[in-house]
Amino acid sequence: MTTTKKLKWLLSLVLIFGGFTIYKLFEGLVHNPAYQEYEWIFKIISEFGLFVSVVVSVGYFHHWIIAAEEHKESEISLREILSKYVDSILLNSIKRGFSGITNKEFDFSQIMQGLKAGDYVYWLITFDPRFKNKSRELENGIKNGVHFRMLILKADCRIGELRATETTGFNSHEFNEYSKLFKVTLEDVISRIGNKITGSLGVFVYDGLPCIPLFIIIRKESRKVEVYSSYYLTEPVSKMPYLHWETGLNFSDQTSFESECWNMVELFLDYFKTRWEMEKEKLYGTPGKEAAENKDFIFAPASAREKCSELFIE
């Protein structure tokens, strides 16, 4: 018990017993003939002492017995209400893999600094106008043993024209020029990746629907998968915030929705794999067939063409 509580207890006891003592003392004086002329004053003091004693006693009785019980009932009620909403909103979000949202735009540099040798990065995007200034970070990541698999939008395609019309600050010509620059910048990185480099880069150029921007990180050492996802709205995707998702690394054959423990990370992974295999089929055609020459597939190192077309394998 703290000093403050002890003092509160002491004060209460003083008021209860002090009030009762005053009541008894002055009640006796009220009936004493020697103090008949002061009877009304003694009566007031006596009643006041009784009032203080009774009120404090009742107050403490309520505080320690009735109020304590009411507090317990309130806690139970509040817990039930919170459980209902927290379970449906917060806990369900965590269960499905939601981890937060970026403050504003996606911080490519910070993400790249956290990558380790053996990690895989899947990146689905139209293009990123900031990338020309970030290409060295991608190159260093590859040289440090990180494997990148990218799906980027093809320049001069119909989808690019449509996306340009709904994006603030772009017209079709500018949009296509940025798409070309994005690929050229990646080819420049590829030209500096030697055959002895342990990391790799595989890039398919697609002309289908971009769906959503995705940046997926498979962390081999910690066995975790992180996903950053956003939306194609009127603002360029380079200026958009990203939702952050995270879960443990799991490559079971069970379809996501067949399990109670499904989460969004698995759905994002499944979508990227599907899109990747669609583009890969154009490269190889039927399974087992040797890869055809395809300008829509660029990769590094030059000696690891087949490896660069493969995704993470446990």
Side-chain angles (χ1 to χ4, degrees):
M1 187 181 291
T2 63
T3 304
T4 304
K5 285 187 176 181
K6 289 178 180 178
L7 291 173
K8 285 181 179 179
W9 267 102
L10 181 61
L11 178 61
S12 301
L13 291 173
V14 168
L15 290 173
I16 292 170
F17 290 106
F20 187 74
T21 301
I22 290 173
Y23 163 71
K24 293 300 290 181
L25 177 62
F26 283 89
E27 182 70 16
L29 294 175
V30 166
H31 299 290
N32 192 328
Y35 302 106
Q36 197 68 33
E37 57 183 307
Y38 301 109
E39 178 183 350
W40 65 277
I41 297 176
F42 295 153
K43 187 70 174 175
I44 292 173
I45 296 174
S46 173
E47 293 295 333
F48 178 76
L50 180 62
F51 173 79
V52 169
S53 180
V54 171
V55 167
V56 174
S57 299
V58 171
Y60 252 71
F61 176 80
H62 177 270
H63 177 76
W64 291 109
I65 298 178
I66 299 176
E69 195 63 33
E70 290 176 348
H71 180 69
K72 287 180 182 178
E73 291 177 0
S74 298
E75 278 189 341
I76 293 171
S77 178
L78 181 61
R79 193 179 295 113
E80 289 175 352
I81 294 170
L82 286 176
S83 296
K84 177 183 176 182
Y85 288 100
V86 169
D87 182 61
S88 62
I89 299 173
L90 178 60
L91 294 182
N92 193 51
S93 298
I94 294 172
K95 182 179 180 182
R96 303 311 175 197
F98 183 66
S99 185
I101 185 169
T102 60
N103 188 38
K104 198 177 179 185
E105 59 192 48
F106 183 65
D107 192 338
F108 183 81
S109 298
Q110 184 180 8
I111 300 297
M112 295 298 288
Q113 289 172 9
L115 298 176
K116 296 181 179 180
D119 289 347
Y120 271 72
V121 174
Y122 301 164
W123 194 5
L124 168 60
I125 198 169
T126 50
F127 65 84
D128 190 332
R130 305 166 302 169
F131 185 72
K132 194 175 189 310
N133 300 322
K134 306 288 186 182
S135 60
R136 284 289 180 183
E137 295 175 32
L138 175 69
E139 180 183 339
N140 291 335
I142 298 169
K143 289 180 176 178
N144 289 331
V146 181
H147 305 279
F148 292 86
R149 302 294 180 262
M150 298 177 62
L151 291 167
I152 65 173
L153 186 64
K154 191 172 188 176
D156 298 317
C157 72
R158 178 60 178 157
I159 295 297
E161 292 178 11
L162 294 172
R163 174 60 187 152
T165 60
E166 64 180 13
T167 307
T168 304
F170 286 93
N171 57 43
S172 297
H173 175 72
E174 289 173 325
F175 197 93
N176 282 326
E177 288 303 307
Y178 270 115
S179 294
K180 291 176 184 176
L181 178 62
F182 195 37
K183 185 182 178 185
V184 168
T185 305
L186 288 169
E187 289 172 335
D188 185 50
V189 171
I190 287 171
S191 68
R192 297 192 295 272
I193 302 299
N195 288 329
K196 293 183 179 180
I197 300 299
T198 55
S200 63
L201 172 65
V203 183
F204 278 114
V205 183
Y206 68 90
D207 58 4
L209 293 172
C211 189
I212 61 171
L214 278 180
F215 195 91
I216 303 172
I217 306 167
I218 301 175
R219 300 191 184 278
K220 188 175 181 180
E221 185 178 307
S222 59
R223 300 189 61 77
K224 287 185 178 180
V225 182
E226 290 184 62
V227 175
Y228 291 88
S229 66
S230 191
Y231 302 94
Y232 286 113
L233 304 178
T234 53
E235 287 295 323
V237 71
S238 59
K239 295 182 179 180
M240 288 291 292
Y242 275 66
L243 301 179
H244 183 201
W245 310 83
E246 185 175 336
T247 190
L249 187 58
N250 177 28
F251 284 91
S252 69
D253 294 330
Q254 191 176 33
T255 305
S256 297
F257 282 119
E258 292 178 1
S259 169
E260 274 296 314
C261 299
W262 71 267
N263 59 66
M264 290 300 297
V265 174
E266 292 174 357
L267 298 180
F268 289 132
L269 266 173
D270 183 64
Y271 179 74
F272 187 91
K273 289 176 183 177
T274 300
R275 291 294 300 270
W276 185 266
E277 290 302 322
M278 287 169 59
E279 299 302 324
K280 186 177 175 181
E281 189 176 346
K282 296 176 186 178
L283 180 66
Y284 285 91
T286 57
K289 184 179 177 182
E290 189 175 341
E293 286 297 323
N294 190 337
K295 293 181 180 179
D296 290 337
F297 178 62
I298 55 178
F299 58 93
S303 60
R305 180 188 179 99
E306 186 173 351
K307 176 184 177 182
C308 293
S309 68
E310 299 292 338
L311 298 178
F312 177 81
I313 300 174
E314 183 68 29

